Every structure is written in structure tokens, then in C-alpha cells.
Amino acid sequence: MNHMQDNGQRASRPTGIAILGSTGSIGVQTLDVIATHPERFRVVALAARRSAELLAAQAARFRPELVCLCEGEMEGAVSGAEGTVAAATHPEVDLVVVATTGAAGWEPTLAAIAAGKQIALANKEALVMAGSVIAVEARRAGAVLRPIDSEHSAIWQCIQGEGVAESHLSGPRGVRRLILTASGGPFRDASREELERVTPEQALAHPTWKMGPKVTVDSATLMNKGLELIEAHWLFDVPYEKLDVVVQPQSIVHSMVEFEDGSVKAQLGVPDMRVPIQYALAYPDHLPYSDLPDMDWSRAFALEFRPPDHERFPCLRLAMEAAMLGGTYTAALSSADEEVVAAFLSGEIGFMDIPRLVDWALERHAPVQEPTLEDIREVDRATRAAVRERIGASARYAAVRHTER
Ligand SMILES: NC(=O)c1ccc[n+]([C@@H]2O[C@H](COP(=O)([O-])OP(=O)(O)OC[C@H]3O[C@@H](n4cnc5c(N)ncnc54)[C@H](OP(=O)(O)O)[C@@H]3O)[C@@H](O)[C@H]2O)c1
């Protein structure tokens, strides 16, 4: 059982933790948090895709019961995708940190829920692709999905004590709007022409957050904010009409909740993912963390807010349209985005081809309204194949130019 149970009672042993994606940005920071509080947390299982050297170093330091390397061989490690499910369902695991990128997150999340584990969710694609199934399963199992994304952690913290049941999946009461903040990414002031010329190196240089490549590019296109709107819908059981986005360039206000009487609660802090990671692990406690920088309230500074520009950043609009259409549209959105971001990073397409190709994939998508897991797997497979074919069919840029609207 968890060291701190969700009913607030202390248990005697540290919370057993599995980290799926331990070699990534979130995974490494989660291990930092765990190393800071060895009396509270213990690593039981680690899983990664192919970073064998780093995974071996983590295993040597934290001595987990189970290590999984999905692609490749490593002494003492389980191989293959089923290893992530084994890590997520290990009997000594109390809480599973889902920190893999993309579509790799949703199947182990479901396995962890079915095995009665608590979930700390960084992987937003899990809810974007399979939110309807995961939310139902989590409710049925009584699993609280603890958000790691800083925006959702902010909202989670703001709705504490607002008449929300322990499982926030039942939806907060008295809420008029959830307002997700966005940094706006490195190109928030760029012209349309400048956006056409953005290189992978420029897109990977995020002004405030240090993250893995896929989420960094998603932040630059604002697709990330679209995926987060869908994540918030499933996490907090709030309709899309009550979800909004505002650009907050300093990344100090992590998100806000506006109540029916016009009162607005916000959560603020330095942009450091170890804060929401630690809160998700230690919930409902705010543990000390001496390594983290504090807000410097002794100097003057300004906080700026502005609306997002849907013309220059069509990915946010595309995500909202997919969300409103429902069914498997959001799975198609996520799978298409994962493929086109990979193609952008490998130099096959340009930055503004990302929204063009996602738009193309959504237009040709044949939706299933109440999808099963098998439907979602098939949408993932078919969407990726179609997008890959589209990219591969023509030389760089030429494949998509004529579909430009
Ligand atoms: N980074 C952030 O600040 C941040 C903030 C909010 C939300 N998130 C979300 O958190 C998730 C992870 O982001 P990240 O920035 O940490 O990504 P990242 O740095 O790219 O790390 C991804 C991790 O997942 C592993 N992985 C990828 N595919 C896998 C598979 N099929 N099976 C098992 N492991 C797999 C990778 O292993 P290898 O190293 O072996 O490839 C790596 O450990 C994303 O969904 C992102 O949107 C991230």
C-alpha cells in the first residue's frame, strides 16, 4: 500500500513506484524526486524503449525488482513491449508513473488501472487516444489519475477543497471555466512566413521548459495545448465548452479555474516539472524540496496574458475540432501528429506541413463514435500508415503544398 494512502492514513513502507519511460525528461526528473525522498518512495520497476546505457545506470543506482527495455537487449532486463505492462502491474508497485511518449502510454495505463494501481500520468496521448475507455475503467476501479502535466496539476491543486470528490474524475462543482495557460512556445511572435522556415533545431529550443523532442515540437505548434484540452476534458469530466486557453509567456501561472461567481483561482510557481511530479507522487502532501528554485518576490516583474492566435497556430484549432467531433477523431489526431512530428524532426517536411498533414489525416478519417480498444489500435495503425505514405509519396514539401488551404 502507498506510504500516504488516498484516505490520508500513513502506511509503514515507502510507496512502490514503476516508471514507464524512466530514461526520458519526465522519467529522469521523477528519479530525482524519488532520490530526494527515499523514506517516502522506492523504485520497483523501470521501463524504457532503447536507451540501454542510461537504463542500466538507473538500475544500478535504484536497484528495482524489474527492468524492461522494449527495443533491444540488456542483461537482466525483460525485452519487448509486454515488459512495460509487466512493470505497470508488478505486485510490489503501488503507483505507476506513465512517462512514455505518444501512443506507447495508453495500453500500460489500462493494465495498471485493471491491476488496481494508482496512476501518475504524464503521457497526455493516453487520454487523447483512449480517454473514453480509460476514464470509464478508472472510475470503475476507483483509480485516481494524478496529473503530472503542469497545467493539469495546477487545476487539480486549484479544485482541492472545492467540493470535489477524491476522484476528480467525477467533475468539479461550481466551475464556469478551466483555463489552461500556454507559454506560446519559441515562435509566439513569429510571422506566418517565418513559421514556414522554422528548422528542427529552432523548434527544439523551448524558451521555458526543457522537455523531450516530441512534446517540445508540439509546444512550438501549440498542438500540445490542444492535446492538453482533451486531456483536461477526460481528467476533470468537464465539457469542451468550459475549457479555454490563454497564452502566459512567462510560464509562471500554470493554469486557472474560474468559478460561477467570477472568482478565479490560479496556481503559480517557477517552471520546473519536479514540482508537479512530486505533488503527483506525494499527493496530498506538498513535500519540501531544497534543490528547487523559489519564486523571487523581492524583484518587480510582470505577468502577461494574451489570447492564442489560431491563424498562425492551426494545430490548436485542429485539436479543438477533433475534440468536438469526438469518437476516434482524437486518436487519429494524436497518431497523425506523432508521425508528422517525427517526419519534421528528420527533415522530411517543413514546420507548417505539420498542421497541413494533420488536417489532411483528419479529413480522410472514417470515425468510430464509441470505439473499443481494437478500434483505437486500428485507427492508430491506419492513420500512421496513411500519413507515412503521404509523406513518402512526394519530395519534401511538394506532397502537401497543393492541399494548402
Ligand atoms: N518533458 C516534460 O516536461 C513534459 C511535461 C508535461 C508532459 N509531458 C509528457 O510526458 C510524456 C513524456 O515526455 P518526455 O518529455 O519525458 O519524453 P522523452 O524525453 O522523449 O522520453 C520518453 C521516454 O519514453 C520512453 N519510451 C518511448 N517509447 C516507448 C515505448 N514504446 N516503450 C517504452 N518506453 C518508451 C523513452 O525511452 P528511450 O529513452 O529508450 O527512447 C523515454 O524514456 C509525453 O507524453 C509528454 O507529452 C512531458
Side-chain angles (χ1 to χ4, degrees), residues 21-26 48-51 70 84 99-102 104 122-125 149 210-213 215 273:
S22 66
T23 53
S25 162
I26 293 289
R49 182 176 43 185
R50 58 173 94 98
S51 302
C70 289
T84 17
T100 48
T101 24
N123 174 279
K124 60 201 83 185
E125 293 90 343
D149 236 337
K210 185 96 196 74
M211 309 177 286
V215 61
M273 283 307 295

Side-chain angles (χ1 to χ4, degrees), residues 23 47-55 68-74:
T23 53
R49 182 176 43 185
R50 58 173 94 98
S51 302
E53 209 173 308
L54 179 54
L55 185 64
C68 161
L69 185 69
C70 289
E71 294 173 20
E73 300 288 323
M74 189 184 124

